[in-house]
Amino acid sequence: MDAQWPQADIDYMRAALAEAKVAMAEGEVPVGAVIVENGAIVARAHNCSIAHKDPSGHAEIAVLRMAAQARENYRLPGSTLYVTLEPCVMCAGALSQARVGRVVFGAYDKKAGALGSVEDLSTSRALNHHYEVNGGVLADAATALLQAFFRSRR
C-alpha cells in the first residue's frame, strides 16, 4: 500500500511516528510531527497538551514553533510538515499562517480532520495561503498507535 509514496515521505513519516511513540509513552495522544526543509529535518515534536496544560499543545503547533525558532522566522516557505494524524482546524490554520508548502499526514481523522475528512482548509478562500496535501502515508501504523492508546484508556 505504501509503495505509492516516495521513499523520502515514508522515511520522514517514520520519524513522525517515532515522535508519536514518545507522546504515547508520556501519556499524550500519540501524534508526532517533523518539519523538513531541503531534505533535512529542521524540527520534531509530539503532542504535549496534557503535560503543558495547553489546548494548543498539538504536535503540529509545537513543531511549527520549534522550526520558526530554528529558522528565526515565523514563515516557513518551502517546508514540508509530516504528521501522523490529519490536522484539525486550529493546526490547518497555523500551517497556512506559517506558509508551509506541503503537508503529509498518516491517519485520516473522520471526526475532526481539516484537510479533507471533515473540512479542507488547504484550499479555503478564508485563508490567504494554500498548500499541497498528501494523506495516508503509513496510515495503518499511525492508526494502530491511536487505537492502542485509546483502547488502553477504556
Side-chain angles (χ1 to χ4, degrees), residues 141-153:
T143 299
L145 269 179
L146 289 161
Q147 288 173 339
F149 175 81
F150 287 111
R151 194 170 27 255
S152 74
R153 297 281 189 259

Side-chain angles (χ1 to χ4, degrees), residues 10-116:
I10 292 169
D11 292 343
Y12 292 128
M13 187 58 71
R14 284 186 179 135
L17 283 164
E19 284 294 318
K21 289 174 184 173
V22 172
M24 189 170 184
E26 293 175 357
E28 300 278 354
V29 176
V31 178
V34 298
I35 290 191
V36 174
E37 287 183 357
N38 301 316
I41 295 176
V42 175
R44 54 181 75 224
H46 54 273
N47 274 5
C48 57
S49 294
I50 297 167
H52 293 174
K53 297 169 184 59
D54 179 2
S56 71
H58 292 196
E60 300 94 313
I61 301 297
V63 81
L64 285 172
R65 287 178 177 148
M66 295 170 106
Q69 289 297 314
R71 291 291 177 240
E72 297 182 348
N73 191 342
Y74 71 104
R75 299 274 167 91
L76 304 167
S79 64
T80 299
L81 170 85
Y82 292 85
V83 62
T84 58
L85 180 64
E86 180 181 358
C88 69
V89 170
M90 172 182 70
C91 294
L95 293 164
S96 180
Q97 293 299 314
R99 305 298 194 263
V100 168
R102 181 172 175 239
V103 176
V104 179
F105 67 85
Y108 286 86
D109 186 344
K110 303 290 185 202
K111 293 182 181 178
L115 296 184

